[in-house]
Amino acid sequence: MEHVDRCVVLVDAGYLLGAAASLLAGEPARSRITVDHAALIQGLRERAESDTAQPLLRIYWFDGAPDRVPQPEHRRLRVMPRVTVRLGALTRSDGRWAQKGVDAAMHAELTELARNRACSDVVLVTGDGDLLPGLMSAKEHGVAVHLWAVQAADGDYNQSEDLVAEADERRVLDRAWITRAVRAKELGGVCAPQPAPRPEIAAILSAPLPESALAAAEAAASAAAAVRNGAPAPVAPAPAPAPTAAANGSGGPSGSGSGRAVPTPKDLAGLRGPAHPQTPPPSPQPANATLRWSSDRGWIDRPGSQVGEPPETASLPTLAQLTSAEQRWADREEDITTVGGDPFEVGQVFARRWMERLPDQGHVGKLSSMYPRIPHRIDGELLRYAARFGLLAHKDDQIDEHDRYAIRAGFWREIDVRAAAEHAPVGE
């Protein structure tokens, strides 16, 4: 049986994007680059068909992911025509992330394609010498093997010399080719637009924890009772520090008291620019300040008040309550085919659906007035929705808080846009 005259591309994403980051940003961290995956896939296809003089059968994209849960980029890739995503595990050891199972999966795919004579040419975008046996096996089955390298930052090889020696053809993807789809991020830059500054954030950040507020109220009540009874007033306890990530706890994506409940300038709104390594001391808490959390637990209007969900938040419906069976199907279709899964984008999509289905648009104004606190039921639903996109995955053995705050920032941006439009004068 003869080989079918077509080509297949096998991409080791860790090698391709890590080498691109080294070339463009000076270090192999993929977080230092921004990738236009559609342009990258199109470039790979055109280059493969040109170099092999054969039509493309398929591009296999091999990458690692925590718990093999597809990340936003994998979701974008796997719905593209002629692209198949294969995921290995991404594990953390000695403070570094490492892929597990990616090389084995590439080896298995390469040998299976060659054994079944599914193609005449295979393009390998990798530098790992562990694929040498698979490369040799493919050649023995009559497949022409093309090995592609990414231009090395130091001008030297970033591939196994044995792979280079054994390949039938070798090409280098140079800086000009790479920069058609990949660019280095600017230091200190952000990918998503930031919400407009909100002046009340300073008071919110300086508010005490619910426990400390209640303790202060109890101490004040005890002191008042002692004075009435003629006893000396007890010494008041020292004030608690402002809320921090550790103080507010951590937890899963349900949103029930999980994570830092109060947004910070660094993670949510970027209100004060790059965060200083030393947290400034909290300002004195105004007597009438309102403490707003992203969970209903700990909602306190002032020390000594009753803890509980205010009536105005209890009246806000969840997205599930507003969504019909037909809409759920349409939402899922949109999630799979068009929503890329960027955290900021996920928050925007959720907020847009919630607002579009509200029978009473007055709810938008109610919610907007609660910024930055998202009622517990809606916040938990938002984070569970984000979990579909591989967000909230375990990184550094804890829930990734940057993603959570980006999700909420996207949610508030969409709410603010709608609220501003509704209050704009007629004719503007």
Side-chain angles (χ1 to χ4, degrees), residues 319-341:
L319 180 60
Q321 293 171 330
L322 298 169
T323 303
S324 67
E326 292 79 6
Q327 286 173 325
R328 278 195 295 273
W329 182 89
D331 289 348
R332 195 64 174 173
E333 182 73 11
E334 181 184 13
D335 291 343
I336 293 173
T337 58
T338 62
V339 180

Side-chain angles (χ1 to χ4, degrees), residues 11-33:
V11 179
D12 179 350
Y15 166 76
L16 173 59
L17 300 182
S22 294
L23 178 64
L24 302 181
E27 58 180 283
R30 288 163 61 171
S31 60
R32 292 292 312 280
I33 56 175

Side-chain angles (χ1 to χ4, degrees), residues 81 108 139 158 203 227 238 241 256 261 282 314 359 362 392 399 404 416:
K139 290 176 61 178
N158 53 14
V227 170
S256 178
L392 315 178
I399 298 298
R404 286 195 296 175
D416 284 349

Side-chain angles (χ1 to χ4, degrees), residues 70-83:
Q71 301 299 292
E73 65 181 278
H74 305 136
R75 294 178 57 86
R76 287 190 288 269
L77 286 161
R78 68 185 184 182
V79 297
M80 293 180 185
R82 304 286 180 139
V83 176

Side-chain angles (χ1 to χ4, degrees), residues 360-381:
D360 179 5
Q361 290 300 313
H363 287 314
V364 177
K366 289 182 181 179
L367 181 61
S368 181
S369 68
M370 299 172 194
Y371 179 90
R373 174 187 174 272
I374 303 175
H376 163 65
R377 292 171 298 110
I378 297 176
D379 189 54
E381 190 179 35

